Amino acid sequence: MEDRKITEKESLELISEMIRKTKEETSSKKDYNAFLFYGYGAVFVSLLAWLLIRLTGEWDFMFVWLVMFLPYLATTFAGKKKKPGAKTYLQGMLDSVWKVIGSMFGLTILAMMLMGFLIGEIDFSLMMPLSILYAGIGTSMTGLVLRERWFVWPPLLGLLVAVYMLMEGVCTNDWNLWFGFSLLVFMVIPAHIVRGKIKRS
């Protein structure tokens, strides 16, 4: 089957769409709304989980962290319903980075459930330091792609927090606060700094 030649009108439409997409991409690059959305969400859930456990002593409230998957699922399915159009290389790269990170979250939970069934006890406590690592890797990679140093280096603090949790070994209620603090430092604060830089320029 030979390739269909596009008309001059279709060629101009394609060029116009690519220009529009590039402008939208530049705008979204400068807004960093996703970092604020997930970052503030994590801070809120971390404080909520810490407070509920502190007041009740019930560790079942750790399951409030599952709320963090709702925005991811919502944006994923919403993206599939959108009409497909031209996508720039930069946007495609960022989408791929976060698809891999999202898959790592999901696969880790499935692996923990499977291993938990095999050994007779499911323990999701390691999910917290691993989540900090995954989110930090995704944030640093985004910073490298966008050439924004404020997203490249702050996740190293998250790495230190994750290593501390893994070395401590036993999950404590304070892990909730450490998690929220980590995402505040390497997602929320850098997003505000970069937005401020853009407004000043």
Side-chain angles (χ1 to χ4, degrees):
M1 181 177 171
E2 60 181 8
D3 294 335
R4 181 178 71 85
K5 291 183 179 179
I6 62 173
T7 65
E8 184 179 345
K9 181 182 177 183
E10 289 173 327
S11 178
L12 288 172
E13 287 176 354
L14 181 61
I15 292 169
S16 297
E17 187 178 0
M18 290 299 293
I19 291 171
R20 181 181 60 80
K21 284 281 185 181
T22 302
K23 286 180 179 177
E24 287 177 358
E25 179 182 82
T26 304
S27 174
S28 65
K29 173 183 170 180
K30 291 179 179 178
D31 285 338
Y32 301 106
N33 289 332
F35 287 99
L36 296 174
F37 184 62
Y38 285 102
Y40 275 124
V43 171
F44 172 76
V45 174
S46 70
L47 291 172
L48 180 63
W50 180 84
L51 186 62
L52 290 171
I53 294 170
R54 175 96 176 186
L55 293 175
T56 66
E58 295 292 331
W59 279 88
D60 289 342
F61 283 111
M62 285 294 280
F63 283 100
V64 299
W65 279 106
L66 294 176
V67 171
M68 291 300 295
F69 281 100
L70 295 178
Y72 175 76
L73 294 173
T75 53
T76 300
F77 288 116
K80 288 181 179 178
K81 290 179 181 178
K82 286 182 182 176
K83 185 179 177 182
K87 184 184 285 190
T88 62
Y89 176 79
L90 184 65
Q91 189 59 51
M93 176 76 107
L94 291 176
D95 288 349
S96 297
V97 165
W98 286 102
K99 277 180 187 173
V100 170
I101 298 298
S103 299
M104 289 168 68
F105 278 104
L107 289 172
T108 301
I109 287 178
L110 290 176
M112 286 181 171
M113 290 176 67
L114 178 61
M115 293 175 191
F117 282 125
L118 292 175
I119 65 175
E121 180 184 357
I122 300 177
D123 181 9
F124 287 113
S125 62
L126 282 180
M127 193 66 206
M128 198 167 287
L130 291 176
S131 294
I132 294 174
L133 291 174
Y134 297 161
I137 290 168
T139 302
S140 285
M141 290 179 73
T142 299
L144 290 170
V145 170
L146 297 178
R147 296 181 181 180
E148 181 49 69
R149 63 188 177 90
W150 281 104
F151 289 111
V152 175
W153 301 111
L156 292 178
L157 176 67
L159 169 67
L160 294 176
V161 171
V163 169
Y164 166 74
M165 289 177 171
L166 292 170
M167 290 184 70
E168 189 176 25
V170 179
C171 179
T172 66
N173 193 21
D174 288 341
W175 280 23
N176 288 302
L177 297 179
W178 281 115
F179 189 98
F181 173 73
S182 297
L183 268 69
L184 179 70
V185 168
F186 71 74
M187 276 190 163
V188 176
I189 293 175
H192 282 298
I193 290 173
V194 173
R195 284 165 64 118
K197 273 173 37 180
I198 293 161
K199 284 180 182 178
R200 287 192 298 274
S201 64

